[in-house]
């Protein structure tokens, strides 16, 4: 009787219901986005690699055909513009990323403080980032204009001569272009760094202040270690974007004067669009891709991105 009662009072375990959602549904939902990425990213990349092995010049169709590695041999042994443009690209990237990081960090630290008009100040700091490269270069072309820009007023003050333009002088064009790009690029670092600064615990600063640590010690021992990953990621992204900078330099200087501001991507654009040599331009693009990939991997390994902050 007791055994029967025990059996009768044993709760029944409900059977697990099979999910009505098929396992393939998540893959079906992301399939359209995957197909778009495949079409807009994978296909162009594969096309570039394919045409880099071809002689493909629309103005000389009788020479088109398989070239093998002839385009790459020409780049490293015959092309007199490749190494100067690559060197200027490296100079441009290092200068821009270094200055943008320092200025962006300083701006982020300033607008992170509490003061009257902070919202307006943040809007003014971040607004240049919303301006396109072509519009930015147009604005600064007007500012650099020898008749209506800075040059005229500096000449009125006895600095420089009338009718001179900093964009046509080989001694000043680099820094003129640098200032233009800084105006647009600094807000990028300021935005990312400020977003990371918001997550720093105020208790850390309070504890450090109680222990007698000044602002400089708090900056180097609390703020910078916390911003480490944000700085690594932002500098890597910005380096890639500055290396591929075409719109601003093309509109501002056109690569001149005398090729002084011609980066490797701008040289690729001129070779493909103006020279119509798409096979050689594809080979240059492939070389640039390999250089960026190698530098990115080395940078991430040396910086230990995502690793221990201690």
């Amino acid at each position: 009787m007791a055994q029967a009662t025990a059996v009768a009072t044993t709760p029944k375990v409900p059977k697990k219901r099979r999910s009505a959602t098929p396992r393939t549904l998540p893959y079906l939902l992301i399939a359209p986005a995957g197909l778009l990425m495949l079409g807009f990213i994978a296909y162009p990349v594969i096309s570039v690699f394919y045409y880099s092995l071809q002689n493909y010049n629309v103005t000389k169709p009788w020479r088109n055909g398989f070239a093998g590695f002839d385009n790459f041999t020409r780049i490293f042994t015959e092309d007199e513009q490749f190494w100067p443009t690559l060197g200027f690209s490296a100079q441009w990237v290092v200068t821009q990323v270094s200055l943008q990081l320092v200025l962006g960090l300083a701006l982020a630290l300033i607008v992170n403080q509490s003061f009257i008009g902070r919202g307006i100040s943040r809007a003014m700091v971040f607004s240049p980032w919303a301006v396109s490269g072509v519009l930015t270069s147009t604005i600064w072309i007007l500012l650099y204009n020898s008749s209506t820009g800075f040059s005229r007023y500096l000449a009125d003050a006895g600095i420089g001569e009338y009718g001179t333009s900093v964009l046509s002088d080989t001694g000043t064009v680099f820094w003129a272009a640098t200032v233009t790009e800084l105006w647009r690029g600094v807000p990028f670092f300021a935005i990312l760094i400020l977003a990371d600064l918001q997550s720093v615990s105020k208790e850390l600063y309070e504890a450090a202040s109680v222990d007698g640590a000044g602002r400089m010690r708090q900056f180097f021992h609390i703020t910078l270690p916390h911003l480490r990953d944000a700085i690594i990621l932002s500098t890597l992204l910005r380096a890639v974007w500055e290396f591929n900078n075409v719109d601003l330099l093309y509109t501002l200087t056109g690569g001149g004067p005398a090729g002084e501001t011609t980066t490797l991507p701008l040289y690729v654009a001129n070779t493909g669009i103006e020279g119509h040599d798409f096979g050689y331009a594809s080979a240059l693009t492939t070389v640039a891709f390999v250089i960026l990939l190698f530098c990115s991997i080395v940078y991430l390994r040396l910086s230990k991105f995502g690793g221990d902050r201690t």
Side-chain angles (χ1 to χ4, degrees):
M1 184 69 179
Q3 183 177 3
T5 303
V7 173
T9 57
T10 302
K12 295 183 179 181
V13 179
K15 295 182 179 180
K16 293 184 179 179
R17 295 182 179 180
R18 294 184 178 180
S19 176
T21 304
R23 294 182 178 179
T24 58
L25 181 60
Y27 300 100
L28 293 176
L29 294 176
I30 66 174
L35 292 175
L36 287 175
M37 292 181 62
L38 186 64
F40 287 98
I41 297 179
Y43 175 74
V45 170
I46 294 173
S47 297
V48 168
F49 286 131
Y50 170 77
Y51 285 112
S52 68
L53 302 175
Q54 305 288 324
N55 287 322
Y56 186 65
N57 191 325
V58 295
T59 62
K60 301 176 182 179
W62 58 88
R63 294 185 179 180
N64 294 346
F66 182 72
F69 293 99
D70 291 346
N71 288 328
F72 297 97
T73 303
R74 176 184 166 190
I75 290 174
F76 294 106
T77 59
E78 302 177 12
D79 194 339
E80 296 180 355
Q81 296 185 20
F82 171 73
W83 294 110
T85 56
L86 181 61
F88 176 75
S89 297
Q91 179 187 2
W92 176 261
V93 170
V94 171
T95 303
Q96 285 295 332
V97 174
S98 301
L99 292 178
Q100 288 180 24
L101 173 61
V102 173
L103 296 177
L105 177 60
L107 283 177
L109 292 172
I110 292 173
V111 298
N112 189 46
Q113 305 298 318
S114 298
F115 56 89
I116 300 176
R118 185 176 66 172
I120 298 177
S121 301
R122 288 183 175 182
M124 293 179 62
V125 168
F126 300 153
S127 58
W129 179 244
V131 181
S132 67
V134 175
L135 182 57
T136 298
S137 58
T138 303
I139 294 172
W140 283 88
I141 285 174
L142 295 175
L143 293 175
Y144 288 143
N145 188 279
S146 58
S147 301
T148 59
F150 292 137
S151 301
R152 175 184 176 182
Y153 298 103
L154 290 176
D156 291 340
I159 303 175
E161 300 178 357
Y162 289 100
T164 59
S165 174
V166 292
L167 296 177
S168 60
D169 188 348
T170 56
T172 58
V173 64
F174 174 77
W175 291 109
T178 297
V179 171
T180 304
E181 181 62 8
L182 284 176
W183 181 80
R184 183 180 69 159
V186 167
F188 170 77
F189 282 95
I191 293 170
L192 288 184
I193 293 175
L194 178 62
D196 208 26
L197 281 174
Q198 303 295 314
S199 62
V200 181
S201 176
K202 295 183 179 180
E203 296 178 356
L204 295 176
Y205 293 106
E206 294 174 357
S209 180
V210 170
D211 291 339
R215 286 185 175 271
M216 294 301 297
R217 294 189 63 182
Q218 292 179 20
F219 174 75
F220 285 105
H221 293 279
I222 298 177
T223 306
L224 273 186
H226 184 86
L227 297 175
R228 175 176 171 270
D229 286 347
I231 291 175
I232 293 173
L233 180 60
S234 58
T235 51
L236 177 61
L237 292 176
R238 198 61 190 160
V240 173
W241 293 341
E242 289 297 345
F243 183 88
N244 292 320
N245 189 323
V246 173
D247 56 349
L248 184 138
L249 288 175
Y250 183 82
T251 311
L252 189 67
T253 65
E260 287 291 326
T261 57
T262 302
T263 59
L264 182 56
L266 185 55
Y267 177 45
V268 172
N270 291 333
T271 302
I273 298 174
E274 298 181 4
H276 306 289
D277 194 349
F278 296 102
Y280 190 65
S282 298
L284 288 169
T285 304
T286 303
V287 172
F289 170 77
V290 173
I291 292 173
L292 278 179
L293 181 62
F294 174 78
C295 293
S296 300
I297 293 174
V298 171
Y299 179 70
L300 290 176
R301 287 293 183 90
L302 293 178
S303 60
K304 298 179 180 179
F305 176 71
D308 189 6
R309 297 186 180 186
T310 58

